Amino acid sequence: MGIRLGCVADDFTGATDLAINLVRAGMRVVQLIDVPPPGAERPVDADAVVIALKSRTVPAADAVDASLRALAWLRSAGAEQIYFKYCSTFDSTPAGNIGPVTEALMEALGTDFTIATPAFPDNGRTVFKGHLFVGDVLLSESGMRHHPLTPMTDPNLVSVLGAQTTRAVGLIDHTVVGRGATAVRARIHELREQGAGIAIVDAVSNDDLVRLGAAVQGMPLVTAGSGLAIGLPANWGFTPSHVAAALPAPGGHRAVISGSVSAATNQQVQEFLRTGRPAFSVDPLRVAAGADVSGEALAFAESHLADGPVLFCSTEAPEAVRTVQTRLGAAEAGELVERTLARVAEGLVERGVRQLVVAGGETSGAVVRALGITELRIGPQIDPGVPWCAAALPGGITLHITLKSGNFGGPAFFTDSFALLDREAS
């Protein structure tokens, strides 16, 4: 029937986060890694396509350019509605990139209004009176206030987005959303009359997102975290189905690569270590000094993969991260770690790893590019927002891979991931 929904995601883990919500609602989803180059176009057998970019923390002009290229590809593939997906913690700075990308997409689509909501209640992200909560605390009181690239110190999304856009930003609050799609559409009309071009929308439950999904049927562009995806497939008549999440049977060795510095991933690393499983720590200071850390990691792998899963991580507490950044610079430290972990991922696949968990958006981007992954088939959900995927690699290799946002997943996420594959295969 062709592509119904075309999605532009600003990082790789966020793309799979969005895709799994669409799959759970009954859509067959393919995730593309970057925009296919000219001449590489081919038909995609899916109801929705998610193009994963690495545009969250690049300069705003670069993010706009990449997003517009993704939009052009999706429109040429016949997408009926466009979804710009960003993080559920609204990662951004006064310079962008959420605002500039949103406005560029609006301009390209010829639309004067869109909505914005990072709400994802299943993962504790809710919006109330325009303010973003992470669990029970405001965004500004969460671990995101210490993020090394996009520290979030203002929970008022109307003001955060307003600082990044030329269009006025309004609010559709929970009382309106609670009255249903008709009330939301009436509020949109009212905001348009007042000159607003974008509206932050409250959502404190999945029911709110379902109501919002119905209200934005036919809107050329929606912008959101991954939560809104649960409310859109029904607009085309899709219903939840296990068939949409089917993947090939898994095999091979198992490994985890973690480059995230989030509190959630730190806890997951500590839980993995508590179980006594093998782990190798990547020290960016040693990498910067010229040590062959990736070679050491792969030698470690050769001794432990048979007893896996094996963890390779650079995850540290905030104090340790700041120390490294002070000595190397934030960007250089991050790039060193990403390059090292990407080389480790290549070596792991060469050594027979066929089930790979990757934690952290930037790390995920580096790994999928190093492995030459261009397309992912989205499979079953591990935790809210995080699915297993299947990628076809050269040589007839099928790699099961999950790309986890740093802030997502429970304490035992790493081991739970592999347990799910076991259950799916049985």
Side-chain angles (χ1 to χ4, degrees), residues 392-404:
L393 302 184
I397 294 171
T398 297
L399 176 69
H400 285 69
I401 185 169
T402 183
L403 309 174
K404 185 193 81 71

Side-chain angles (χ1 to χ4, degrees), residues 219-245:
M219 186 177 283
L221 172 70
V222 296
T223 87
S226 64
L228 182 59
I230 69 173
L232 295 180
N235 292 338
W236 289 280
F238 292 100
T239 57
S241 167
H242 292 297
V243 174

Side-chain angles (χ1 to χ4, degrees), residues 8 64 67-72 75 82-85 99-111 221-223:
V8 181
V64 166
S67 301
L68 289 175
R69 286 189 292 108
L71 171 65
R75 294 179 78 182
I82 301 299
Y83 188 138
F84 170 40
K85 193 275 175 192
V101 170
T102 297
E103 290 197 292
L105 295 175
M106 292 175 70
E107 187 72 22
L109 288 165
T111 184
L221 172 70
V222 296
T223 87

Side-chain angles (χ1 to χ4, degrees), residues 21-395:
N21 281 343
L22 296 173
V23 167
R24 293 176 68 219
M27 280 182 150
R28 296 169 306 125
V29 181
V30 165
Q31 178 176 324
L32 302 181
I33 307 302
D34 289 326
V35 184
E41 297 88 349
R42 62 178 182 80
V44 176
D45 181 23
D47 306 308
V49 172
V50 181
I51 296 182
L53 305 176
K54 196 177 180 185
S55 58
R56 181 170 298 170
T57 57
V58 303
D62 294 341
V64 166
D65 177 69
S67 301
L68 289 175
R69 286 189 292 108
L71 171 65
W73 190 95
L74 292 167
R75 294 179 78 182
S76 71
E80 298 173 10
Q81 185 175 49
I82 301 299
Y83 188 138
F84 170 40
K85 193 275 175 192
Y86 36 74
C87 186
S88 64
T89 47
F90 215 67
D91 291 23
S92 208
T93 70
N97 291 342
I98 294 174
V101 170
T102 297
E103 290 197 292
L105 295 175
M106 292 175 70
E107 187 72 22
L109 288 165
T111 184
D112 66 349
F113 195 90
T114 189
I115 56 93
T117 182
F120 189 7
D122 283 351
N123 263 332
R125 313 300 194 261
T126 54
V127 181
F128 180 75
K129 293 292 184 181
H131 288 66
L132 178 56
F133 286 79
V134 177
D136 294 327
V137 301
L138 286 165
L139 175 67
S140 55
E141 298 170 10
S142 74
M144 285 302 298
R145 70 186 184 277
H146 298 306
H147 194 283
L149 298 178
T150 52
M152 301 302 293
T153 58
D154 184 357
N156 185 336
L157 301 186
V158 175
S159 65
V160 170
L161 189 56
Q164 302 176 30
T165 63
T166 60
R167 289 170 169 80
V169 179
L171 174 65
I172 303 174
D173 79 8
H174 68 103
T175 60
V176 174
V177 177
R179 294 202 301 271
T182 300
V184 172
R185 292 191 195 102
R187 176 60 174 157
I188 289 173
H189 177 75
E190 182 180 315
L191 288 171
R192 271 184 161 137
E193 291 291 307
Q194 295 171 0
I198 308 171
I200 298 294
V201 185
D202 281 358
V204 297
S205 68
N206 285 349
D207 288 342
D208 286 339
L209 293 172
V210 170
R211 285 187 282 264
L212 178 58
V216 299
Q217 183 174 14
M219 186 177 283
L221 172 70
V222 296
T223 87
S226 64
L228 182 59
I230 69 173
L232 295 180
N235 292 338
W236 289 280
F238 292 100
T239 57
S241 167
H242 292 297
V243 174
L247 294 181
H253 294 313
R254 297 171 163 179
V256 179
I257 291 179
S258 175
S260 172
V261 298
S262 73
T265 302
N266 266 304
Q267 187 178 21
Q268 290 155 5
V269 167
Q270 292 305 312
E271 175 62 21
F272 187 94
L273 296 175
R274 187 192 64 78
T275 66
R277 291 181 170 86
F280 183 95
S281 180
V282 172
D283 181 351
L285 295 177
R286 292 191 66 240
V287 177
D292 183 15
V293 175
S294 58
E296 296 170 7
L298 292 172
F300 182 86
E302 290 172 355
S303 301
H304 294 89
L305 281 175
D307 303 315
V310 184
L311 169 66
F312 301 86
C313 66
S314 65
T315 303
E316 298 284 358
E319 298 78 14
V321 173
R322 283 192 290 270
T323 298
V324 171
Q325 290 178 340
T326 298
R327 293 182 61 177
L328 301 179
E332 177 64 17
E335 289 171 5
L336 281 174
V337 169
E338 289 169 29
R339 288 198 300 269
T340 301
L341 292 177
R343 285 195 294 270
V344 171
E346 289 181 279
L348 290 174
V349 171
E350 290 171 359
R351 288 160 176 79
V353 167
R354 298 293 182 266
Q355 300 173 43
L356 183 63
V357 173
V358 187
E362 300 301 312
T363 303
S364 293
V367 166
V368 298
R369 284 175 170 156
L371 295 177
I373 295 172
T374 61
E375 182 176 312
L376 294 169
R377 175 65 65 175
I378 307 302
Q381 176 173 273
I382 304 165
D383 266 353
V386 193
W388 274 109
C389 308
L393 302 184

